[in-house]
Amino acid sequence: MNIKKTIIIVIISVIISVSLSLLVDSVEYKLPEFAIKFDGIYNEVVTNESISSLPVYEIDAVMNDGIYKDYYRYHGIRLKELLNLYEIKDYNNITFRSEGRLQVTFLKEEINDDVFLIFDVDGFQFEEDDPVGLLAVDYNLRYSITDVVSLMFD
């Protein structure tokens, strides 16, 4: 009986792992030209050329506002991988600032594999002046901003 339970658990785990990996896949993608400023305790300028070694992911996500479900496909990089590339480890939070007044702050522990800097939605790239967006698809952190210009580290 225990062997049957173990086999069933292993099969379910494999199915769940495969299903999740289908939602986010690494793909070939030509990054648009951009520059994002890091402010605060880290001062850097991140460009498309400086992150060309990072994998770009295709993300299928559902935006659910409680009334409607909208299905989108994004291309972007994981924020955690960007932070690792720049060796950014010592901070308490990150504030994403948009061209307008919108800003969103994440605590360090909220930065997970579901937080992306994105470059397009459904194949349409963002405006040339502001080609980078923020997408957080974690169930607790549902944010999407389409014109990120800086990240403030505290």
Side-chain angles (χ1 to χ4, degrees):
M1 183 87 170
N2 287 336
I3 293 175
K4 287 182 181 180
K5 285 182 182 179
T6 303
I7 291 172
I8 291 172
I9 290 172
V10 169
I11 291 171
I12 291 172
S13 298
V14 169
I15 291 170
I16 290 171
S17 297
V18 170
S19 299
L20 293 175
S21 69
L22 294 176
L23 297 175
V24 179
D25 289 323
S26 179
V27 295
E28 292 292 322
Y29 186 82
K30 184 180 184 318
L31 293 173
E33 291 185 23
F34 69 87
I36 297 177
K37 189 175 181 188
F38 285 0
D39 289 321
I41 58 176
Y42 294 97
N43 290 301
E44 296 279 348
V45 175
V46 176
T47 67
N48 55 303
E49 294 169 352
S50 68
I51 66 164
S52 62
S53 65
L54 292 178
V56 175
Y57 297 95
E58 188 169 89
I59 306 114
D60 290 325
V62 178
M63 294 300 179
N64 184 347
D65 65 4
I67 299 172
Y68 301 103
K69 288 183 181 179
D70 295 313
Y71 297 83
Y72 297 102
R73 175 166 287 162
Y74 303 89
H75 288 95
I77 61 169
R78 281 194 166 109
L79 181 62
K80 281 178 70 172
E81 293 173 0
L82 174 65
L83 299 178
N84 287 337
L85 179 68
Y86 280 84
E87 298 179 357
I88 295 176
K89 297 176 180 135
D90 298 321
Y91 63 94
N92 295 316
N93 57 58
I94 304 174
T95 299
F96 296 82
R97 294 182 175 164
S98 72
E99 183 72 22
R101 294 182 181 185
L102 184 62
Q103 56 184 32
V104 176
T105 300
F106 287 80
L107 299 174
K108 182 178 183 177
E109 51 272 6
E110 294 175 322
I111 303 299
N112 59 34
D113 283 342
D114 293 331
V115 180
F116 296 88
L117 291 182
I118 55 173
F119 309 107
D120 73 33
V121 178
D122 290 336
F124 296 102
Q125 288 190 336
F126 300 127
E127 294 183 24
E128 195 171 299
D129 295 341
D130 303 313
V132 179
L134 163 69
L135 175 68
V137 293
D138 182 276
Y139 72 96
N140 289 318
L141 307 167
R142 289 173 237 134
Y143 294 108
S144 178
I145 303 172
T146 58
D147 57 350
V148 174
V149 293
S150 70
L151 280 69
M152 171 70 84
F153 294 86
D154 294 317

